[in-house]
Amino acid sequence: MTTHVTVRDDDYVIDQNWAGYTADEHAVWDFLYRRQRDILADRADPAMLDGLQALDLNRGGIPNFAVLNEELKRRTGFTVVAVPGLVPDEVFFTHLANRRFPAGQFIRGRHQLDYLQEPDIFHDVFGHVPLLTNPVFADYMEAYGKGGLRAMKFGRLKNLSALYWYTVEFGLIETPKGLRIYGAGISSSKDESIFALEDPSPNRLRFNLERVMRTDYRIDDFQQTYFIIRSYDELFRATVDTDFAPLYERLADDISFRPEAVLPDDGVLHRGTQAYAAAKARS
Ligand code: HBI
Ligand code: FE
């Protein structure tokens, strides 16, 4: 694949160069899409599955942003822009605040189908983008971007990253049919899609904004705690109804909780055995 990495120093947006993807890269997308879509059939929140359908992401091959952006922009005003990989926090927040989602332009190799550290186009476009068709979630993502820029001014980036991690990346939502996945870190992962909902090991606790913002997290393994929202409106309201200035003052005490902690005030849906983490610690 010829990579036109014309990284501009302002917003890191590059040309997706869709014509440059090879047949094998398109085949990797198709393999991952089909495998993950089957796993998510009764595990993902319907809003995410509806988004996959609405954006026609299963038309075969890596999605062309120019095509998917027509439908996405029509629905919520969001557009997907191609970036080389992780971008600096301020660049990331600025994009979200302007209803642009920065998606990795590359796709993982066959040697790393099950896990990779950097967000590739499958994690971003299969995992994150479908929910951007949901108006309330789109409002949350814009509010999050604006909040991120403010958090940086208060030196509270770590707390805001924890909020992103336990919602946008690893959040679960309660539905009439039970808990469902909406976090992209789970929905794009074969094994964590099952672990997060069905394994007795992790805690499953009710979402609480300040509690989540104080909670440390693991970036290299399954989560030891998942937080559960009742609706995207709950998530959006938590962001817009909170006066962040006094919250940031309180967070300045730097009290944080370990990923596996269960606190007296937590709304506990499931107290995890932490058996998975204990086994990993022994290995
Ligand atoms: N950059 N491209 C990209 N994608 C992300 O998800 C991302 C990022 N930069 C920073 C970041 N996420 C995290 O720090 C968020 O918690 C802000
Ligand atoms: Fe992500």
Side-chain angles (χ1 to χ4, degrees):
M1 175 188 81
T2 49
T3 311
H4 298 281
V5 183
T6 52
V7 175
R8 298 194 330 248
D9 58 5
D10 50 353
D11 62 6
Y12 284 72
V13 174
I14 60 173
D15 169 19
Q16 183 189 9
N17 183 28
W18 185 77
Y21 291 120
T22 64
D24 188 51
E25 287 175 310
H26 284 297
V28 167
W29 171 277
D30 288 342
F31 169 79
L32 290 171
Y33 186 100
R34 287 192 196 108
R35 182 176 77 172
Q36 204 50 27
R37 181 65 185 76
D38 288 346
I39 291 171
L40 292 180
D42 56 0
R43 292 188 174 92
D45 181 47
M48 189 249 174
L49 300 177
D50 292 348
L52 283 172
Q53 191 75 31
L55 298 176
D56 198 14
L57 295 185
N58 65 338
R59 65 171 49 198
I62 294 172
N64 183 336
F65 293 176
V67 174
L68 84 83
N69 279 337
E70 278 170 29
E71 183 60 26
L72 181 59
K73 195 170 178 66
R74 196 179 62 75
R75 284 172 179 260
T76 60
F78 255 94
T79 55
V80 181
V81 292
V83 292
L86 284 173
V87 301
D89 290 323
E90 187 160 1
V91 173
F92 184 67
F93 294 133
T94 304
H95 279 306
L96 293 185
N98 291 283
R99 295 208 173 216
R100 290 188 300 266
F101 188 83
Q105 185 268 352
F106 72 100
I107 192 159
R108 64 191 73 181
R110 288 190 179 280
H111 62 289
Q112 52 185 170
L113 287 180
D114 293 343
Y115 179 75
L116 76 164
Q117 189 77 33
E118 283 263 320
D120 73 331
I121 195 165
F122 185 75
H123 167 85
D124 281 326
V125 176
F126 180 91
H128 284 290
V129 170
L131 265 181
L132 297 177
T133 60
N134 176 288
V136 179
F137 192 79
D139 287 348
Y140 171 67
M141 289 294 267
E142 177 187 345
Y144 179 86
K146 290 175 176 166
L149 292 170
R150 278 191 70 213
M152 291 179 80
K153 293 187 178 59
F154 283 82
R156 307 275 27 123
L157 185 59
K158 180 171 173 290
N159 303 112
L160 209 96
S161 293
L163 173 60
Y164 188 84
W165 193 263
Y166 282 114
T167 58
V168 180
E169 292 296 358
F170 291 95
L172 298 178
I173 185 168
E174 203 169 45
T175 78
K177 291 184 182 163
L179 298 186
R180 292 291 183 268
I181 297 161
Y182 75 91
I186 309 175
S187 64
S188 59
S189 159
K190 168 172 79 74
D191 298 322
E192 197 154 3
S193 291
I194 293 157
F195 178 86
L197 289 182
E198 295 159 34
D199 199 289
S201 180
N203 303 317
R204 294 179 184 91
L205 309 176
R206 287 229 172 275
F207 173 82
N208 170 287
L209 184 72
E210 182 165 344
R211 164 46 162 126
V212 166
M213 291 178 85
R214 289 181 179 279
T215 306
D216 295 333
Y217 55 89
R218 304 281 306 276
I219 64 166
D220 55 357
D221 206 339
F222 294 165
Q223 299 309 306
Q224 293 165 277
T225 294
Y226 296 98
F227 288 95
I228 294 147
I229 58 173
R230 291 183 173 85
S231 67
Y232 299 120
D233 203 57
E234 175 189 355
L235 198 50
F236 175 64
R237 299 258 47 105
T239 312
V240 294
D241 290 350
T242 300
D243 183 350
F244 276 85
L247 172 56
Y248 288 153
E249 295 293 310
R250 288 200 300 278
L251 291 172
D253 63 15
D254 277 334
I255 291 170
S256 66
F257 309 123
R258 294 177 51 74
E260 71 277 9
V262 177
L263 305 179
D265 291 351
D266 280 337
V268 180
L269 277 80
H270 172 74
R271 182 185 291 270
T273 64
Q274 299 302 339
Y276 172 82
K280 289 286 276 199
R282 282 195 300 273
S283 66

